[in-house]
Amino acid sequence: MTISHHPTDETLMRYAAGTLAAGPAIVVGAHLAACPVCHARVRGFEALGGAILAQTEPTQLSPSALSDVLARIDAEEGIPQPPRREQKPAEIDGVRLPDSLRGCGIGRWRWIGPGMRMSRIGVPHDPDATVIMLRVGPGRALPDHGHVGTEFTYIVSGSFTDRFGRFLPGDLAEMDEDVEHQPVVDPGEECICIAALEGKMRFNSLIGRLIQPIVGL
Ligand SMILES: [Zn+2]
């Protein structure tokens, strides 16, 4: 797995601190299981958070505290591998789904446009979370959209390209609210991805406006 698109450090810190909303945490969690680099950074942020909590009196952290912790972890353990799980992985039509979706309800596929299907993912501990799985045919454009709040997309299989580059399985696309982009699935293979929003999506295209009531935004 060649991973070239990662979450921002701010997102990884929020994941480590447990302040990232449940939906985005599932999508970022899928990336962490595939990306030893980000997995190690989250461990570092967790260690740093623990070190801060352990202080009896508030003191200023040295500017190099974070890099010191990361260097120590790398020196002690190398880059840690994601934990192996014994349970049988969840699959959909032969495609393995990320472990972070375990326990979530996966809705039936709905046709939302030519070559495009969507399934709503139910998050048990946050019923209001907006998480969807998209399945888009080769060469098809995903709905043109902007969003209010950050959008997180994890590529499960296949690939797509937008003006930020090519996104392959394991990659995470994190798009700020002022970004408008239109991913197009690469030729040859359909693309399955999971997406979560911290905020509401604004669809620009006709198909997007048709999706809106289904997604429930
Ligand atoms: Zn990463």
Side-chain angles (χ1 to χ4, degrees):
M1 206 178 258
T2 309
I3 296 176
S4 44
H5 299 276
H6 306 267
T8 60
D9 268 346
E10 190 201 333
T11 293
L12 295 177
M13 274 185 233
R14 290 172 61 209
Y15 184 95
T19 58
L20 193 63
I26 285 172
V27 177
V28 171
H31 175 79
L32 292 176
C35 179
V37 176
C38 288
H39 187 81
R41 291 189 79 72
V42 166
R43 293 274 313 267
F45 291 134
E46 284 167 352
L48 184 61
I52 293 169
L53 288 173
Q55 309 262 355
T56 47
E57 285 180 40
T59 51
Q60 199 76 31
L61 277 173
S62 81
S64 64
L66 174 60
S67 52
D68 291 350
V69 169
L70 288 172
R72 207 166 66 221
I73 289 173
D74 286 350
E76 282 171 7
E77 311 175 9
I79 294 183
Q81 294 300 309
R84 288 173 198 277
R85 302 203 181 206
E86 300 296 328
Q87 297 135 295
K88 199 168 178 286
E91 286 190 1
I92 196 156
D93 298 341
V95 175
R96 186 183 162 172
L97 295 179
D99 285 349
S100 64
L101 286 178
R102 215 175 277 275
C104 292
I106 296 177
R108 66 183 175 84
W109 289 111
R110 292 163 184 260
W111 186 91
I112 54 170
M116 202 182 301
R117 282 179 288 167
M118 191 202 78
S119 155
R120 183 93 200 236
I121 293 176
V123 180
H125 46 286
D126 185 359
D128 294 331
T130 304
V131 185
I132 58 174
M133 183 151 53
L134 280 166
R135 188 169 186 168
V136 184
R140 300 277 182 190
L142 272 72
D144 181 20
H145 62 279
H147 16 87
V148 181
T150 307
E151 177 190 78
F152 302 85
T153 306
Y154 174 80
I155 293 78
V156 178
S157 71
S159 61
F160 67 70
T161 300
D162 68 10
R163 64 194 172 96
F164 300 99
R166 187 168 183 223
F167 292 78
L168 295 159
D171 277 331
L172 184 118
E174 179 174 338
M175 300 290 163
D176 279 345
E177 58 186 333
D178 47 352
V179 171
E180 297 230 346
H181 65 130
Q182 180 154 36
V184 177
V185 174
D186 294 319
E189 193 187 345
E190 69 170 4
C191 179
I192 296 179
C193 54
I194 53 173
L197 292 169
E198 277 198 314
K200 289 178 180 287
M201 209 183 261
R202 308 184 299 269
F203 289 108
N204 303 328
S205 66
L206 176 62
I207 286 180
R209 286 200 295 275
L210 290 173
I211 294 175
Q212 209 115 25
I214 302 174
V215 182
L217 295 171

